[in-house]
Amino acid sequence: MNRELYPFPGGLQIPPHKELSNAKTSLITPLPDSIILPLQQHIGTPAVPLVKTGDKVLKGQIIARADGYVSVPVHASTSGKIIDIGNYTVPDPLGLKAPCIVIEPDGDDVWFEIKPTHDYASIDPKDLQDVIREAGIVGLGGAGFPAHVKLREGTESAVDTLIINAVECEPFISCDDRLIREKPGYIVNGTRMIRHAIQAKYCVIALEADMPEAYAALKELIDDDIDLIQLPVKYPQGGERQLIKVLTGMEVPSGGLPIHMGIVMHNAATAAAAYRAVIRGEPLISRYVTVSGEVNDPRNLQVLLGTPVKHCADQCGYEDKEGQAIILGGPMMGMYVNNMHMPVIKTTNCVLVTSTYNKSPEMPCIRCGQCVDVCPEKLLPQQLFWHAHAKNYDRLREYHLFDCIECGCCSFVCPSNIRLVQYYRKAKRQITQDEQTRSGADHARERFIARNARLAREEQTQNNELLAGSDIGELDKQAFIQAAVERTRAKRAQLGKQENSDDDQE
Ligand code: SF4
Ligand code: SF4
């Protein structure tokens, strides 16, 4: 079917470099010496450990439970022994450590009891969402948002269109391309399953024209129930807002969500993982990862979650050389890391080794406006830069800093070599931290006021009970009441003082 397309503003044509890795069949990565599983591999609350050091675990067993609605469990990705629960380096731009469960594999790779389901269409959509949650499925396209939350939003509102995003627009990354070529049935059936889970009217799988083999593999399995769309190549077309614009002509408003427009989007690999979880009963314990750039044998790997990044790079002929940078993700939106000790997690799609990153010193902004021309969000990147530099957070909000998708187009074209996105990321982090601190202080103050109000109520009740049960005369009663009123006044005055001093501290 020919579908009208609506190009998004800005964007770039960038050399794709996908040919380095996408032509070779993926390899199953051998078991590493240790598996390091962070309790937080998703957006939301970290999982809570259910095991202790010394426990034996089986492959696929839940070792940390979800904590709250926006959270997912963590499963052992192989069988073995828990050798530590502690802080380890995780994928993080600041090189931070976070709580992890470490497994020493026993080499047997023995599965925990799994419960396959052969007919997803017979399962109630809400039950299907629970299965997907228990399997620890999160968005595998990069963000790591728990998949069940998006699905639940889908059942709570009428969904017009389900979009399966197979647009892999970042240079070098080809893990979705390989997954689709090798397991097209997972994608197509996963798409149908998600459609059933949210009862969507229409369904689209979108990918770019530089994935002809993947397109052909899907085409073979698709009937009229799914619209398969090939898009002209343009970066960052895989962005949620950009792809919605291209396919529907609609723009997700600032601060809005696709579901408010009747649209739900999932990544192709997420659809495959969800299908696998339901039909084969296998939780999310592995994923495809591209290892590319300056390694001897760039290719895609099937990797158990928790496998150290260095172990993956070694399978592809990595050699440690002077001047190289390691990026988790692609060169535009990826995260520079200063070692390879951290594990592959649910959101790790690529390990890129490169020495051709921007090392030139930053120069002053010359107001050329090139960054404005390429911004797909129609922002004013140079203004954002000035206000981020000046730490003027109010102005950054006015200029819609949080609409920035960190695509890197502005940094890419900047003739002054200004790493614009780094400034935006830092500012976003600071604003978020400030908000968390403020909401923590507000919460403490509310609790303080509520506690004092409760104490005052209790004292009042005691006074009433005393009065009711006593045989003191009318005059004494008046004096008793007056004393109680005075005490309450004094307490209120004290409370007000405390409140003011809390305000002063903020
Ligand atoms: S591209 Fe760079 S130099 Fe040009 S206006 Fe933007 S920030 Fe300034
Ligand atoms: S990184 Fe942000 S400001 Fe820069 S082009 Fe992308 S969306 Fe616009």
Side-chain angles (χ1 to χ4, degrees):
M1 164 180 172
N2 281 333
R3 191 184 181 109
E4 188 176 355
L5 299 176
Y6 307 85
F8 64 91
L12 290 169
Q13 299 291 338
I14 319 176
H17 300 298
K18 292 180 190 274
E19 68 293 344
L20 285 174
S21 59
N22 69 1
K24 300 172 202 162
T25 308
S26 67
L27 283 183
I28 295 176
T29 310
L31 269 176
D33 293 338
S34 61
I35 290 277
I36 304 160
L37 291 160
L39 295 174
Q40 182 158 31
Q41 301 176 47
H42 55 271
I43 289 177
T45 321
V48 178
L50 293 172
V51 291
K52 57 185 185 322
T53 303
D55 283 357
K56 295 260 174 67
V57 292
L58 297 175
K59 181 174 183 165
Q61 180 180 336
I62 292 188
I63 55 172
R65 65 168 170 80
D67 187 18
Y69 180 52
V70 187
S71 182
V72 288
V74 176
H75 302 76
S77 42
T78 187
S79 57
K81 191 166 85 171
I82 306 294
I83 53 168
D84 195 18
I85 300 177
N87 287 332
Y88 286 80
T89 305
V90 293
D92 182 276
L94 302 178
L96 297 179
K97 294 185 173 186
C100 297
I101 298 177
V102 185
I103 301 173
E104 182 181 61
D106 59 16
D108 297 332
D109 219 23
V110 182
W111 271 98
F112 189 66
E113 180 195 351
I114 50 175
K115 294 184 195 142
T117 306
H118 296 294
D119 180 17
Y120 68 79
S122 64
I123 305 177
D124 180 82
K126 285 205 171 135
D127 293 340
L128 208 48
Q129 292 163 15
D130 289 341
V131 176
I132 288 168
R133 182 190 188 197
E134 276 306 288
I137 314 278
V138 303
L140 297 182
F145 195 70
H148 67 274
V149 178
K150 265 192 186 178
L151 294 175
R152 187 62 41 102
E153 282 169 358
T155 40
E156 282 165 3
S157 325
V159 178
D160 186 70
T161 307
L162 166 66
I163 299 173
I164 297 298
N165 184 351
V167 175
E168 201 166 38
C169 57
E170 266 247 14
F172 290 97
I173 305 178
S174 63
C175 55
D176 284 355
D177 186 0
R178 250 354 288 181
L179 170 68
I180 298 170
R181 292 194 210 187
E182 294 176 11
K183 301 195 163 79
Y186 281 10
I187 311 291
V188 172
N189 291 319
T191 301
R192 291 186 174 125
M193 194 183 76
I194 291 180
R195 182 182 192 173
H196 170 67
I198 56 173
Q199 301 286 296
K201 272 198 239 161
Y202 304 106
C203 183
V204 180
I205 301 179
L207 74 182
E208 288 191 329
D210 62 355
M211 295 166 69
E213 295 85 357
Y215 179 85
L218 293 174
K219 187 90 187 140
E220 188 116 325
L221 301 177
I222 275 176
D223 298 323
D224 290 346
D225 58 334
I226 300 174
D227 212 357
L228 181 63
I229 313 265
Q230 232 176 351
L231 305 169
V233 176
K234 187 180 175 190
Y235 179 82
Q237 192 150 235
E240 189 172 64
R241 294 152 65 95
Q242 285 62 43
L243 189 53
I244 288 173
K245 168 82 168 85
V246 169
L247 293 174
T248 69
M250 295 194 283
E251 290 189 16
V252 182
S254 176
L257 292 173
I259 189 64
H260 300 148
M261 300 155 63
I263 296 171
V264 171
M265 185 183 293
H266 284 278
N267 168 265
T270 313
Y275 182 73
R276 194 170 168 155
V278 175
I279 296 300
R280 296 178 54 160
E282 295 176 6
L284 181 57
I285 55 165
S286 67
R287 65 159 297 147
Y288 276 57
V289 178
T290 306
V291 180
S292 194
E294 292 160 22
V295 290
N296 293 325
D297 183 22
R299 64 188 315 140
N300 281 281
L301 302 172
Q302 296 180 44
V303 184
L304 291 178
L305 301 179
T307 301
V309 166
K310 171 78 166 52
H311 185 74
C312 300
D314 287 344
Q315 310 310 311
C316 301
Y318 166 71
E319 288 170 29
D320 188 0
K321 290 185 193 149
E322 191 72 30
Q324 282 177 334
I326 311 296
I327 302 175
L328 297 185
M332 300 297 286
M333 297 182 79
M335 173 198 308
Y336 284 78
V337 291
N338 53 18
N339 67 57
M340 288 208 242
H341 302 313
M342 72 280 298
V344 165
I345 61 170
K346 294 176 183 180
T347 52
T348 311
N349 54 7
C350 180
V351 178
L352 181 64
V353 181
T354 178
S355 55
T356 56
Y357 56 97
N358 185 357
K359 300 171 198 145
S360 318
E362 288 189 359
M363 310 285 281
C365 170
I366 55 169
R367 303 183 185 217
C368 65
Q370 290 188 49
C371 51
V372 181
D373 296 341
V374 296
C375 179
E377 289 292 332
K378 297 190 275 188
L379 301 174
L380 297 171
Q382 84 276 35
Q383 259 94 345
L384 287 173
F385 164 63
W386 293 330
H387 296 311
H389 203 253
K391 298 192 169 56
N392 190 340
Y393 299 139
D394 289 338
R395 297 290 277 164
L396 281 171
R397 281 177 193 285
E398 284 168 30
Y399 281 94
H400 302 289
L401 172 69
F402 283 90
D403 283 351
C404 166
I405 57 168
E406 300 177 15
C407 65
C409 288
C410 51
S411 304
F412 188 86
V413 297
C414 178
S416 295
N417 297 311
I418 305 174
R419 276 59 142 185
L420 295 158
V421 183
Q422 288 182 20
Y423 289 93
Y424 309 152
R425 282 187 186 144
K426 206 169 157 197
K428 282 183 186 176
R429 206 164 33 232
Q430 192 57 51
I431 292 171
T432 308
Q433 271 172 10
D434 289 352
E435 276 174 1
Q436 281 166 350
T437 310
R438 199 172 309 126
S439 91
D442 285 348
H443 188 57
R445 191 170 58 152
E446 277 163 22
R447 276 178 35 206
F448 176 79
I449 292 169
R451 178 177 172 276
N452 283 301
R454 177 175 56 78
L455 291 176
R457 272 199 312 276
E458 283 171 6
E459 187 173 350
Q460 187 64 50
T461 309
Q462 276 172 10
N463 291 341
N464 290 345
E465 283 170 2
L466 263 174
L467 270 176
S470 72
D471 54 359
I472 51 179
E474 193 55 34
L475 271 176
D476 288 339
K477 255 189 197 172
Q478 299 272 350
F480 187 90
I481 290 168
Q482 188 56 37
V485 168
E486 293 302 332
R487 276 203 305 279
T488 308
R489 272 198 196 125
K491 193 157 275 175
R492 282 209 186 115
Q494 177 64 30
L495 245 174
K497 227 195 251 167
Q498 181 65 43
E499 235 181 280
N500 289 339
S501 90
D502 281 354
D503 287 345
D504 293 345
Q505 282 166 20
E506 278 177 26

